[in-house]
Amino acid sequence: QVQFVESGGGLVQPGGSLRLSCAASGSIFRALSMGWYRQAPGNERERVATITLGGSTNYGDSVKGRFTISRDNANNTVYLQMNSLKPADTAVYYCNSHPPLTGHWGQGTQVTVSS
């Protein structure tokens, strides 16, 4: 079984930056494409960014040019560097495989962008 634990969220002013981390248990991490997802109140969960085993990345239109996903296979960790944050980025952020494994969502980490 694989588990994902997200961290690094917080309160930040518009224009600020945060770096999220996701620690994955189990060696299966090294066989998975990974993704960051987010869910704002009243909205469905959306895919933010993905990264393949080889490091190819893909981003949602709303975060292109501002967010960067990366992974450290040696430490079973995936990161999301978020720059130029906007109030619209406020959400709970989750990591999971891409496509996501049903029933393997973690608690997420809250990101709030507000002045």
Side-chain angles (χ1 to χ4, degrees), residues 38-74:
R38 69 185 181 186
Q39 187 168 20
N43 291 355
E44 293 189 353
R45 188 175 288 155
E46 64 171 337
R47 186 173 70 242
V48 174
T50 61
I51 186 166
T52 67
L53 293 171
S56 296
T57 58
N58 189 270
Y59 299 92
D61 288 341
S62 61
V63 306
K64 280 180 182 176
R66 300 188 297 121
F67 290 10
T68 302
I69 187 171
S70 60
R71 66 189 295 163
D72 179 352
N73 289 335

Side-chain angles (χ1 to χ4, degrees), residues 12-61:
V12 62
Q13 292 187 341
S17 298
L18 282 174
R19 189 192 195 204
L20 306 184
S21 299
C22 169
S25 64
S27 60
I28 191 175
F29 172 83
R30 301 174 189 178
L32 298 174
S33 291
M34 291 294 299
W36 280 98
Y37 307 81
R38 69 185 181 186
Q39 187 168 20
N43 291 355
E44 293 189 353
R45 188 175 288 155
E46 64 171 337
R47 186 173 70 242
V48 174
T50 61
I51 186 166
T52 67
L53 293 171
S56 296
T57 58
N58 189 270
Y59 299 92
D61 288 341

